[in-house]
Amino acid sequence: MAAKGAEEAAVDVAVPEGASIASGDNTVWTDVSLLLEAACEDLRDGELVHGDNFNLFAAMSALEIMDPKMDSGMVCKYYSVDEAIENGAAPVPISFYKTVDVQCTIDIMDYLLACEATWHKGHSLAQTVFSCIYLLRPDRTSSHALLHSYCRVIRATCKAVISVVSDARTHEEEDLFTMAYGLPLDGDGDEKCLSLLNAVEETISRQLRACKAHSSKRRVLEDIEPLQENVDLEEGYCKALLCRLRFRKHFYHVLTSMRRPQGRGLELARKHIATSISELECIRKSSEFLRSIACGACDDDTEDRTTASGCQPIGFDASLNCRLSAPTPPRTIKILSWKMAIDYFVKLLHDLDIICSYSLDPLLEGVLHFVVQFQKSQPDLVARAHLQLLLVQDGKLYGRDSMFAVINRVAALPEVTKNHDIQNNEYIGQLGQLVINMLKILCTNSAWQRRKLGKTLQDWRVIYVQLELAFRKDFGDVLSSPDDENVCMKIFQHILLWVEEQTYWIASHFLILGFELELYSPSEYCMVYWYMYVVLIKLAEKTHLKMAARNDTNKRKGKKKRDSIKDVAREYRIPPAVLFVQCQICLVEGLTMMLAALRNENMILQSPNPFNTEQERFFQHFELLQKACVPDHISYPAFHESTTYARISTLVMYNYFKDAQRIAKEVKSSFSNDPDKLAELRRIEQVAEHNSIALNVICQVGALDPKLKVSFEFSHHPYFATAVVKRS
Amino acid sequence: MSTNPTPAMGQELENTRAQDYLSSFLDKNLRIHVSDGRMFVGQMKCTDRESNYVLGNAHEYREPTPKQVKEATERAVKGHTSVILDMNCRYVGLIVVPGEHIRKIEVEEFDPSLIS
């Protein structure tokens, strides 16, 4: 190997081993391999030979050599990018035969798409997209316009995506994503990537036109050099390239227009999203053509292939960068298949489209509902980051409404508040910050979101207490002026009520997320539903009070114009939003009691938990709620007390599920223009109906048949369980 | 140092001798060559039946890259038949070298013949 690098045959390079690590004075290195090997064989299994100052614990921190995850120094094929290039790993042009060159360029494009999707899914940029040697040396490709334009737009896109994600900072758990140390993300002229891309696209579409004209024997108006040599393949190659280039262009447009302040670019972004999706479908279809040419040359494993043609792309080496992906140990990464990559981008674009079609609801309740609904489709990091940046810009909602205005609206403060001194109150400022934090947290992945929401509950409780104290103090000051006093009173009441309502909303969302993350075992459903019950009761109470206060304000406003008796009548109607919660309350109460009764009557399979008691699990699940006193005076004994005496016979007499069904039916008409709420009500109705029937069956048959088995499924609702009764 | 245990000795004895023999290497400088061509030099801290070695204060040595070799060759004065290059070295600290990857182990020993 040493001689290989020498230019002159006469020069013989010898690398004396250990030249720089000459043994100390008067010592030599002796080969003891065989002796040591023999000695080791005589050791017993698991026996260690070590000194007094060394133990297994110390060994834990040792780096394991030759382990791809730990040993970053493992000798790879090439030591550096330059060496790889010198050895012809990434030639420019890829081939002097234009047909082969085009074919290989398409493979590179496809593989880059797969790499990009793999990156978005949480692997390091260095080992995915930037495993492409062409990307690592931006200037090398300049003679190859097609490849050069594609590499440029890829670098620019990566940069745009990184900036979205790092600005949103929703990636705490996905922090590999933004690491780009040492990667040439700022290629010279990459910001002008679109003009080059357009020029290349223009050339190829001319070539396509020329080739079509040629095949229909029409006279060619302009003399254009074809894309490659093979006339039969010209049209197919032109089309395959065009959809790939156009997808990149429109996708880049999507990313940039979505970043426009105050959501001004959303409409434009939607147009580009639609085009991007249709180009992706063209890319998908081009696979047939590309495979037909490559057939034979490549592996047939259709599912795993990372390019449309199935050929291995030229110019990629993931091991080159493995040292750049610090501070994580280099990992062997499996790149997503080309098909999965396209599916990923289609989903991403659909998710972005949902964001772009959002109406920028000024009411916080609407925002929360939208975000929760959006998260149900399990969007990936990039889409979530975009949503968050849209919601919170410059500390304002959509970069437009100040947090005080948002609170003003959601807490239904009286008109005068808008210019009231209260917005300068220190705690109101903190409250605004809490709302921003909540919005940001709601845009993170479910696991992170749940943990953060749980922790933030304490902040909400603290701010409540602080506001209450501050208001009392201020209230004392303004007692002298009776007019102002009234307004202040109103503001205090409304804000405090809303803070409480919001706290219980967070708590209920926290509990619901536990179902999504599958954190509860069936034996714990009873306590979880019970806790949901106590939280929802509070939520309904606060919502009701807040709405009553809101109506009160409206009524007073109206009173000046007309005194009507109708208003009084309306006041006594429970608002639909409260009834909606009420309906859920009946359902969770029914579930709690049903589960408790089944347990008490030994009709449900109980697997005794060997590790901890029910009380311990209660604390583990609800620790964060308990610490924040949400709700007050709630503890394990309270749960125990309310469930020990539950019996099936009494449950049938008072069927909570029937109540839930009844309320759901009643309240449906009030939500006729809210399809999400309507669908939710329908699901609740279904669960209630099934459980109500199940309860009757258990009551009638259960006494006679001891073999009756009851289990719970989430077949009708993601977190309200449905009982399934079976005879074993 | 006698290293060939006689077959007559019981297994227990062999085990004890193996332990003693291996213990004599503790904290001595070892030079371990691994399958990818690198070499590690460090103090022996621990070993086991599978010949896994734990080295403390270890340094990693690797051969110069072809580029370095080429450059050195170009620099070299014509007529010289050999060029001496240092191996690339870096500190890696505490490491475990799994037995399956070990190709050769050398120990640093006192050599009385070198005393001048």
Side-chain angles (χ1 to χ4, degrees), chain A residues 12 14 21 24 26-33 36 39 41-43 45 47 49 63 65 71 73 75 79, chain B residues 15 18-19 31 36 38-39 46-47 49 61-62 81-83 90 94-96 98 105-109 111:
Chain A
D12 189 22
I21 36 153
N26 309 328
T27 58
V28 285
W29 291 105
T30 323
D31 188 351
V32 284
S33 313
L36 285 176
E41 273 170 18
D42 283 336
L43 290 177
D45 252 354
E47 189 178 359
V49 175
L63 270 183
I65 297 305
D71 184 4
V75 172
Y79 286 97
Chain B
N15 180 260
Q19 278 183 28
R31 199 154 87 168
D36 70 346
R38 281 177 299 165
M39 179 168 84
C46 180
T47 186
R49 194 184 150 87
Y61 293 88
R62 56 172 70 229
T81 50
S82 71
V83 178
R90 64 174 182 151
L94 189 67
I95 58 168
V96 186
I105 305 178
E106 291 165 302
V107 66
E108 190 179 28
E109 276 186 339
D111 183 0

Side-chain angles (χ1 to χ4, degrees), chain A residues 523-593:
Chain A
S523 62
E524 292 157 357
Y525 288 164
C526 186
M527 63 168 95
V528 176
Y529 286 126
W530 181 80
Y531 217 114
M532 269 175 96
Y533 168 72
V534 291
V535 168
L536 286 175
I537 288 262
K538 283 283 184 186
L539 179 62
E541 180 194 319
K542 300 300 165 193
T543 311
H544 200 170
L545 282 173
K546 190 190 78 175
M547 290 195 145
R550 189 183 285 179
N551 281 345
D552 199 31
T553 320
N554 290 344
K555 200 181 71 194
R556 271 162 200 249
K557 244 189 281 168
K559 236 178 190 173
K560 283 170 191 163
K561 287 169 195 161
R562 57 190 164 87
D563 259 45
S564 87
I565 315 153
K566 272 182 205 164
D567 279 340
V568 186
R570 203 179 55 191
E571 203 181 345
Y572 286 98
R573 241 188 76 204
I574 302 174
V578 178
L579 281 174
F580 184 79
V581 183
Q582 200 92 56
C583 178
Q584 294 177 320
I585 292 175
C586 292
L587 194 54
V588 285
E589 191 176 14
L591 278 166
T592 311
M593 288 308 166

Side-chain angles (χ1 to χ4, degrees), chain A residues 208-218 220 231-232 235:
Chain A
L208 177 64
R209 249 179 282 141
C211 129
K212 275 186 175 163
H214 184 80
S215 60
S216 59
K217 302 276 185 292
R218 266 186 288 146
V220 190
V231 187
D232 297 335
E235 187 178 341

Side-chain angles (χ1 to χ4, degrees), chain A residues 161-202:
Chain A
V161 169
I162 287 180
S163 116
V164 170
V165 174
S166 53
D167 286 354
R169 283 192 285 162
T170 43
H171 59 287
E172 287 98 337
E173 283 196 329
E174 294 138 316
D175 54 0
L176 260 185
F177 192 88
T178 50
M179 265 166 216
Y181 308 133
L183 299 176
L185 268 176
D186 293 287
D188 231 2
D190 278 353
E191 63 285 349
K192 288 174 285 179
C193 64
L194 284 180
S195 58
L196 183 63
L197 200 66
N198 281 329
V200 173
E201 185 197 330
E202 177 60 34

